[in-house]
Amino acid sequence: MLEVRFTPQSGVFALDDDRWLRQIGLLHQGLEEAGSLVQMERSETVPGTKGAFSDTVLILTGPSVVAGVVAAFTAWLGRDRGRTVHLTWTVEGREGDVTITVGPADSAALQAALENGLRVIADSRVAEEPSPSATPGSDV
């Protein structure tokens, strides 16, 4: 299992704008339909505001989920030029991060980059987890 944190950002809407929160909800729905688990975390609320999503944890349960996640991010980012996504992860003690901004013409490049990057991250994470048959002391 791999956890990738991401923060959707908009150059158009305030982070606590209801329209932006609905758009984030659509992204989360797309990611969940892709087979990924999504956990949302809200930032500290300021009196008089609803609180914005500060971070979301995307849980990749295996390499097979990556293609669906790539499709969800690609579709969501391609809908509006003002959208960006900041991704962070830790694999084998090394941290990585990337901010993705895309225009309509960049859709194929985004899909290729995300697919390659998430597969590398997921494959390295899965490789470090021992399989049940390789557990010391097992009879298998």
Side-chain angles (χ1 to χ4, degrees):
M1 179 172 66
L2 172 67
E3 292 184 5
V4 177
R5 296 177 98 61
F6 70 94
T7 307
Q9 301 165 337
S10 173
V12 177
F13 297 107
L15 296 179
D16 63 349
D17 187 304
D18 285 338
R19 295 168 293 178
W20 179 240
L21 295 175
R22 281 193 298 273
Q23 290 180 29
I24 293 173
L26 290 173
L27 173 59
H28 291 175
Q29 180 181 358
L31 292 168
E32 288 172 350
E33 288 172 0
S36 178
L37 301 173
V38 177
Q39 299 173 346
M40 296 170 279
E41 299 174 0
R42 287 194 182 267
S43 63
E44 294 293 320
T45 57
V46 175
T49 67
K50 299 173 201 170
F53 289 109
S54 63
D55 226 2
T56 306
V57 180
L58 178 64
I59 301 173
L60 303 176
T61 55
S64 62
V65 176
V66 172
V69 167
V70 167
F73 273 129
T74 302
W76 188 80
L77 285 165
R79 288 188 190 125
D80 181 358
R81 289 184 184 181
R83 295 180 183 187
T84 62
V85 174
H86 182 79
L87 302 164
T88 60
W89 61 89
T90 303
V91 174
E92 297 176 0
R94 293 187 316 261
E95 295 180 5
D97 74 302
V98 65
T99 299
I100 302 167
T101 304
V102 66
D106 298 330
S107 196
L110 170 66
Q111 183 163 350
L114 271 173
E115 187 167 318
N116 182 50
L118 288 176
R119 283 195 192 280
V120 167
I121 294 165
D123 289 347
S124 67
R125 182 65 180 198
V126 170
E128 78 178 29
E129 295 176 2
S131 66
S133 62
T135 305
S138 69
D139 295 6
V140 181

